[in-house]
Amino acid sequence: MSSTHAGVDKIRARLALAFGEQGLEVQDDSHLHAGHAGAREGGHYTVRLVSERFTGLSRVARHRLVYDALRELMHQGIHALVIDARTPQEC
């Protein structure tokens, strides 16, 4: 298994535990950053989440929940993370 695929699997597992599987997508964007200085420090990922847990929360608060769920991984292979966090009503 490639390290980027392993990164997607680890991110998916952590987010599924925190938010559930429904409405969860994890995309590895690392290939778009090849040659970029930060690419050596870890992968670039996009996550799309749909969860009731985001109801009534600001964008910043939603992102904090995601970062909390991924806390241990943030220093183990994630260099950049794009987050799209929505409630089911926003989809």
Side-chain angles (χ1 to χ4, degrees):
M1 180 183 311
S2 72
S3 61
T4 56
H5 187 69
V8 168
D9 290 345
K10 287 179 183 179
I11 293 168
R12 178 180 297 285
R14 295 289 174 106
L15 294 177
L17 186 64
F19 300 100
E21 293 275 346
Q22 186 175 2
L24 171 61
E25 295 177 35
V26 180
Q27 177 179 311
D28 184 352
D29 299 324
S30 299
H31 65 284
L32 300 173
H33 302 274
H36 175 262
R40 291 187 301 267
E41 298 170 20
H44 293 68
Y45 301 94
T46 297
V47 296
R48 292 176 190 86
L49 293 159
V50 178
S51 174
E52 290 288 349
R53 289 189 61 196
F54 299 134
T55 301
L57 298 179
S58 69
R59 182 177 174 195
V60 171
R62 294 173 187 199
H63 285 210
R64 284 185 184 140
L65 284 177
V66 173
Y67 284 121
D68 284 348
L70 297 175
R71 180 181 321 247
E72 293 174 17
L73 299 179
M74 291 305 297
H75 301 289
Q76 298 177 6
I78 298 176
H79 175 71
L81 188 64
V82 174
I83 301 170
D84 180 3
R86 300 174 188 227
T87 67
Q89 295 76 24
E90 294 170 329
C91 292

